[in-house]
Amino acid sequence: MTFYNRQGEIAVLDRALARPRPQFIVLYGRRRCGKSTLLQHIANEGDCYSLAIQGEASLQRSLLSQTIAQKFAGFDRAVYPNWMEFFRALADRGGKRYTLIIDEFPYLAKSDPSLPSILQALLEDRSKLPFHLVLCGSSQQMMEGTILSATSPLFGRADEILKITPLLAGYLKDHMPESTAVNLMEEYSIWGGVPRYWELRARYKDMPEAVYELLLQPIGLLYDEPRRLLLDDMTSLVQPLSLLTFIAGGVNRLSELGGRMEKPAAELSRPLNRLIELGYIEKLRPFNAPLRSNRQTLYRVADSFMRFYHRYVVPNASKIEQGRKKEVWMEIEQSKSGYCAQTWETLTRSAIARGLIDGSVSACSPWWGTTKAKRKVEIDGVAQSPDGKHLILCECKWSEGVDTQPIHQKLAQVARELPFYNGQEVTTVVATKEGGNSAHDIGAKEVLDKLR
C-alpha cells in the first residue's frame, strides 16, 4: 500500500535523528494507523528495527538480540540474564551512531516491569549511548503508564512524543483516485481514516462486496476488530461496548445512557472519558456553551469505523451468525443516507475549522437551543472569527438537487435571533453533495480537498 501523508511526523523524526545528542523518541496510537510503516520508512541502513512479541522476558531478549546480531555479529551468542545486562552489552558496542527501534514496547514492559527503570538509568548519561532509542506501542494505556505517566521512571525524558492518529478524510482520494468525492465521503463513513482498512477495502470491486466480506460474516477480517482494539486499553469490555452501541444507535445524552444501561449516570463517566481519550467517542456542546457545563452535552461516536460497526454489525450479530448478510445490507442501504449525513456534518465542520470559509477560523461547532424569539432551533455548524466580528452559520444536507437559496435566507433570518448575535457580519453556508450556485454553497469535493 502507498505511504500517505505523515510529512509532519517524518519531518519531526528526521530532525530529531539528525541531532548530535542521542535521542529518546516515543510513538503511540491505535492499531492499523501506520506506526510500524512510518518507523520502517524513517529507518536507515544500519539501524535496528525489532517488533516485540508477547512472551517471557527471556524469549523477548533472545529475539531482540537476534535482530541486533544482524548489525553486530555474534551479539546473540550470549545469554543475557536480565535487561540491565542486555543494554549494558549493547551500550558497550561502539561505532557510528544508529537508531534502535523497539515496536510494541508495552509487551516488554508487561513481562518485566523493571524495564522502564533500567532504560531510565541507560538514558541518564547519554554521552555513552551509541544509539538513538525509539519506543513504539499500540496500547495507549500501557504507553501512558510506562512512559508518559508522571509516576513513570521515563516521564519527562523523551525528546519527541508523537501520537499517530487516523488520516484525514481527504487522503482517501489518493487511495481511490477513480472515485467521486461523493463516493469517497460514503466510503469514509464506513472505513474512517485508518490506512489498513483502506488497504483491505481495495481488495474488493465495490463497497457492498467489501462490507459483505470484511464485516458481515463471522470469518470476516474486521468482524472482531473493535473488540481487539478495545482490549489493547481496557480489561473489561462490557460497558465500553454497550456505550458505543447505544450511542451509535442514537442514545446521546448521559441521562439517557444511564437509563438504557440501568446504571447511575455518574457510574458511566469513567468509561465514557476513557473512550473519549482513546478517540472513539466525542463530546458535542452547543457553540458558545461553557466548557464546564454538561447540561447540554451530547455524546457521539467519533470514529467512523466504530460508528458503522456499532450501528449495523453489533445489533445484527444474530443475523450475521445465521448467514443473513443480505438482509443486513438491505437495512444499511435503506438508512445509509441518514447515516452518512452525520459524517457529512462532522467533516463539513472540520473543513470550516480548517479555514474553508474564513482562514482565521479554527473551530466550528453545532448549536441547538432557544432563540431570542423563543424558537427552538438547531444549526449544523457555527463558527466565529477570533476578533468576534464575523459569524459563519452552516446547514448540511446530504442530498442532491437542493435549492439552497431558501436555506440561506432562513439562516440569515435566524442569525439575528441567536443569543450570541451582536451585530456581527454573517456568512451563511449550505453544504450539499454536489454544492450549488450560491457563493457559499459547498460540496463534497471542496470539503475533502480541505481535509488534507
Side-chain angles (χ1 to χ4, degrees), residues 124-136:
E124 285 297 326
D125 187 1
R126 299 204 191 181
S127 64
K128 298 179 180 178
L129 205 61
F131 54 82
H132 302 296
L133 178 62
V134 180
L135 302 182
C136 178

Side-chain angles (χ1 to χ4, degrees), residues 119-400:
L119 293 178
Q120 175 195 14
L122 185 76
L123 293 166
E124 285 297 326
D125 187 1
R126 299 204 191 181
S127 64
K128 298 179 180 178
L129 205 61
F131 54 82
H132 302 296
L133 178 62
V134 180
L135 302 182
C136 178
S138 297
S139 171
Q140 299 179 60
Q141 182 181 41
M142 283 290 291
M143 291 297 286
E144 290 164 1
T146 57
I147 298 175
L148 306 177
S149 167
T151 60
S152 168
L154 292 172
F155 177 74
R157 286 172 169 75
D159 298 286
E160 301 289 350
I161 299 173
L162 297 178
K163 183 174 182 178
I164 307 302
T165 58
L167 292 171
L168 294 174
Y171 288 100
L172 191 52
K173 175 67 175 176
D174 298 336
H175 188 57
M176 303 176 68
E178 303 303 318
S179 295
T180 66
V182 170
N183 288 339
L184 290 173
M185 213 293 302
E186 292 176 342
E187 295 275 2
Y188 185 84
S189 294
I190 298 174
W191 314 111
V194 177
R196 174 57 174 164
Y197 305 161
W198 296 2
E199 183 180 31
L200 293 174
R201 159 64 183 92
R203 296 178 179 179
Y204 304 96
K205 69 177 187 297
D206 55 29
M207 183 198 299
E209 183 183 26
V211 173
Y212 277 162
E213 298 301 323
L214 296 172
L215 286 165
L216 300 188
Q217 57 178 342
I219 61 171
L221 276 175
L222 298 180
Y223 185 67
D224 286 323
E225 178 73 359
R227 187 179 297 272
R228 290 191 289 264
L229 290 173
L230 293 171
L231 280 172
D232 278 338
D233 295 286
M234 296 179 168
T235 53
S236 173
L237 302 188
V238 175
Q239 286 190 342
L241 289 173
S242 299
L243 286 167
L244 284 162
T245 302
F246 277 128
I247 294 171
V251 183
N252 304 118
R253 297 184 184 276
L254 184 57
S255 58
E256 296 171 344
L257 287 166
R260 295 293 291 272
M261 294 179 65
E262 300 179 353
K263 292 183 178 295
E267 201 174 302
L268 301 179
S269 295
R270 185 172 182 179
L272 276 171
N273 288 335
R274 188 61 187 145
L275 288 168
I276 290 169
E277 291 168 2
L278 294 171
Y280 298 134
I281 285 178
E282 64 179 341
K283 279 185 178 181
L284 285 182
R285 294 187 180 92
F287 172 82
N288 225 28
L291 287 178
R292 293 185 178 274
S293 173
N294 289 321
R295 187 170 57 87
Q296 291 181 285
T297 298
L298 298 180
Y299 292 89
R300 296 274 179 86
V301 180
D303 180 83
S304 292
F305 176 79
M306 283 290 207
R307 188 164 72 90
F308 184 85
Y309 183 91
H310 289 278
R311 169 65 180 83
Y312 293 112
V313 178
V314 172
N316 289 296
S318 296
K319 290 181 181 178
I320 293 170
E321 293 288 342
Q322 295 167 14
R324 295 157 59 189
K325 58 186 178 183
K326 288 187 178 179
E327 292 180 39
V328 181
W329 179 253
M330 285 179 62
E331 179 187 334
I332 294 170
E333 281 279 85
Q334 290 168 3
S335 60
K336 186 172 68 173
S337 180
Y339 171 82
C340 290
Q342 184 176 323
T343 306
W344 177 231
E345 289 179 19
T346 300
L347 294 184
T348 300
R349 285 194 293 266
S350 296
I352 291 173
R354 292 172 69 86
L356 179 58
I357 305 301
D358 179 338
S360 70
V361 165
S362 60
C364 183
S365 306
W367 184 83
W368 60 93
T370 305
T371 69
K372 296 173 183 176
K374 308 300 181 185
R375 291 198 293 161
K376 294 286 187 182
V377 170
E378 294 184 12
I379 302 175
D380 295 328
V382 180
Q384 185 169 266
S385 60
D387 61 11
K389 295 180 179 179
H390 182 203
L391 200 62
I392 298 170
L393 304 184
C394 177
E395 183 81 8
C396 301
K397 301 287 186 184
W398 188 242
S399 49
E400 299 167 338

